[in-house]
Amino acid sequence: MASSLISEVEDALQDLVDTYHGLNSELIDELDEEPSALEFMRYVAQNRPFVVRKGASRWPAVQNWDYNYLLDRMKDRKVNVAITPHGNADAVVTNAADGVTYFVKPYEVEEPFASFLAYVQRQERDGDVVSNVKYSQTQNDNLREEYSQLFEDVEENICWARIALERQPDAINLWIGNSRSVTALHRDNYENIYCQVIGQKHFTLISPVETGYINEQYLPPATYLLSEPKGTYNDSSPISEMKQEQLVIEPDEDPEPVPCATLDPDKFEQDVQGVHQCRPIRVTLGPGDMLYLPAMWSALQMIQQRYKACAKVVLNYWYDMDFGGPLYPSSAFIRAVALAIARNNDQRP
């Protein structure tokens, strides 16, 4: 009886996804100019993404930022830097030491911006695929805080989003990395607007309706730590010389399991559950392009191509979503059903 019920629920989830794709395009809308507030609100109401090609091309950041400009403005101001062996901060990783799969947070340091940028630039220029990867990726309104010297070069808000949503952005975040930097598949409770400044970034997007097929699991949290004894390195040490083997996965003390998407949208052959059900939207942003990523969509972000051998820079504006209406509770329901099915399948003999 239980297995029959689970099967019926799985069929119902599949029908939901099939119906959604029957009514919505699998291609992203591309606009040649920024939308009006009313046009933007229609996308918000439908919870559908779109791209504005060259929508931010006139911003001073897009026109002026390069290695020398960033170095001149930031100089030796200390910034938070995430360090991982493979560029996969806040990601699902199987630890070779114990065979356990964890949600692993990066090793973090405070480092002078000049040395951080030089490292990222050198790694990209030399095609270095061995050294640890550094990534500026704090999601704490860092553009208006630790990178405040650069804030005047961008818009303080996205006007059509501010008018439509009737609010200012909760946070404006700056991301600096290179072609080895990856942001794992995740979702946010924000209306999210990305603005590419330097380089290219590839996005894989999955709608909230498909939440049941991202293979979400509760995983123990862990953190990358130095394998060397404490005191070997500090904020003034040559962290750029660290090798991959010097970072190890250390499980957190008294861990609270973290729900994580384990599906790799680019390796469907290895993710049987998501093979047929999940139909991602893929889009690439170039300098000046803008992406609206609706609340509750799952996104995988990768910088796969070397671009003029320089660091890659992107901004994102977070506007708090409206938790009223059906979007949030229905997404939570689909997620709960999918987790319940996964637990049931794990218990099968």
Side-chain angles (χ1 to χ4, degrees), residues 105-108 223-228 230 242 245-251:
K105 301 178 289 294
Y107 177 67
E108 295 186 69
T223 306
Y224 281 116
L225 296 178
L226 291 175
S227 60
E228 300 293 331
K230 291 183 179 180
M242 289 167 49
E245 59 267 28
Q246 291 175 314
L247 287 178
V248 296
I249 295 175
E250 182 69 24

Side-chain angles (χ1 to χ4, degrees), residues 117-160:
L117 188 63
Y119 181 94
V120 172
Q121 188 89 343
R122 179 200 60 76
Q123 192 172 54
E124 187 73 358
R125 182 190 64 237
D126 298 345
D128 179 358
V129 296
V130 176
S131 301
N132 288 304
V133 179
K134 292 187 177 183
Y135 196 13
S136 175
Q137 55 121 43
T138 51
Q139 302 167 51
N140 57 356
D141 200 24
N142 66 355
L143 184 60
R144 294 186 288 198
E145 299 293 339
E146 61 183 338
Y147 289 97
S148 58
Q149 290 92 332
L150 301 172
F151 182 47
E152 65 182 32
D153 291 338
V154 307
E155 298 294 329
E156 64 180 18
N157 61 66
I158 307 299
C159 63
W160 33 272

Side-chain angles (χ1 to χ4, degrees), residues 5-18:
L5 178 60
I6 291 294
S7 179
E8 290 183 19
V9 173
E10 290 176 330
D11 290 343
L13 283 178
Q14 184 62 59
D15 287 343
L16 175 65
V17 171
D18 290 342

Side-chain angles (χ1 to χ4, degrees), residues 216-252:
E216 196 167 35
Q217 301 176 22
Y218 280 95
L219 300 177
T223 306
Y224 281 116
L225 296 178
L226 291 175
S227 60
E228 300 293 331
K230 291 183 179 180
T232 302
Y233 293 97
N234 54 51
D235 289 348
S236 61
S237 299
I239 298 174
S240 60
E241 298 177 4
M242 289 167 49
K243 297 180 180 179
Q244 286 182 334
E245 59 267 28
Q246 291 175 314
L247 287 178
V248 296
I249 295 175
E250 182 69 24
D252 292 358

Side-chain angles (χ1 to χ4, degrees), residues 298-319:
S298 297
L300 171 73
Q301 305 164 37
M302 302 184 68
I303 313 174
Q304 296 178 323
Q305 298 176 347
R306 298 180 65 196
Y307 181 84
K308 297 182 179 179
C310 64
K312 316 298 186 292
V313 181
V314 65
L315 305 170
N316 77 303
Y317 291 72
W318 269 351
Y319 292 85

Side-chain angles (χ1 to χ4, degrees), residues 85-86 88 91-104 217 219-220 222 224 248-249 262:
H86 307 291
N88 53 343
V92 175
V93 181
T94 299
N95 187 6
D98 59 14
V100 177
T101 299
Y102 295 93
F103 172 74
V104 185
Q217 301 176 22
L219 300 177
Y224 281 116
V248 296
I249 295 175
T262 63

Side-chain angles (χ1 to χ4, degrees), residues 20 24 37-50 164-165 191 208 292 294-295 297 322 324-327:
Y20 176 82
N24 295 275
L38 179 59
E39 290 170 332
F40 172 62
M41 204 60 201
R42 291 191 181 114
Y43 282 95
V44 175
Q46 293 184 344
N47 194 240
R48 292 288 298 176
F50 64 82
L165 301 173
E191 307 294 356
Y292 166 57
W297 277 63
D322 186 348
L327 174 60

